[in-house]
Amino acid sequence: QLQASGGGLVQPGGSLRLSCAASGSIYSINTMDWFRQAPGKQRELVAYITSVGRTVYADSVKGRFTISRDNAKNTVYLQMNSLKPEDTAVYYCNADAKTNPRSTWSVYWGQGTLVTVSS
């Protein structure tokens, strides 16, 4: 139900914008997050944004990445600037969502999109 896009190959110092759209039976979305997993490393939180727009970033991306969301489109974005080779990873989005008013909150993951920063 989450579809991530926007990854690709970019040179150091370049920019990319990732998108992640939730589709299907979505009643409400709370927090939306971006994680990443580099080869041989554990998955780590990059940033998250609450339903009212409060944002939190990993120290490694502060000042370079910006997370935003469009609640009308159930979509979260990650604008990545000043990219570094160490940003190379598969980026995953997730959302804490309900499918109907009586359901519990569940976490849904996107399929991941590869970002490669290399010259």
Side-chain angles (χ1 to χ4, degrees), residues 31-38 41-50 54-62 64-65 67 76 78 80 86-87 89-96 107-109:
T31 302
M32 303 185 83
D33 311 340
W34 284 99
F35 283 75
R36 68 185 179 186
Q37 187 165 19
K41 294 188 176 182
Q42 289 189 330
R43 191 173 297 190
E44 62 175 359
L45 177 67
V46 176
Y48 72 77
I49 184 167
T50 69
R54 187 174 76 91
T55 59
V56 173
Y57 297 91
D59 288 343
S60 59
V61 306
K62 280 181 183 176
R64 300 188 298 122
F65 290 11
I67 189 170
V76 63
L78 187 68
M80 305 185 295
E86 51 264 43
D87 294 318
V90 177
Y91 284 70
Y92 299 90
C93 58
N94 80 19
D96 191 26
V107 176
Y108 298 89
W109 287 89

Side-chain angles (χ1 to χ4, degrees), residues 91-111:
Y91 284 70
Y92 299 90
C93 58
N94 80 19
D96 191 26
K98 281 187 176 185
T99 56
N100 65 74
R102 290 178 297 278
S103 68
T104 58
W105 293 99
S106 298
V107 176
Y108 298 89
W109 287 89
Q111 85 287 5

Side-chain angles (χ1 to χ4, degrees), residues 3-7 17-21 34 75-78 93 111 113:
Q3 183 70 36
S5 61
R17 188 191 194 210
L18 306 183
S19 300
C20 178
W34 284 99
T75 300
V76 63
Y77 306 96
L78 187 68
C93 58
Q111 85 287 5
T113 184

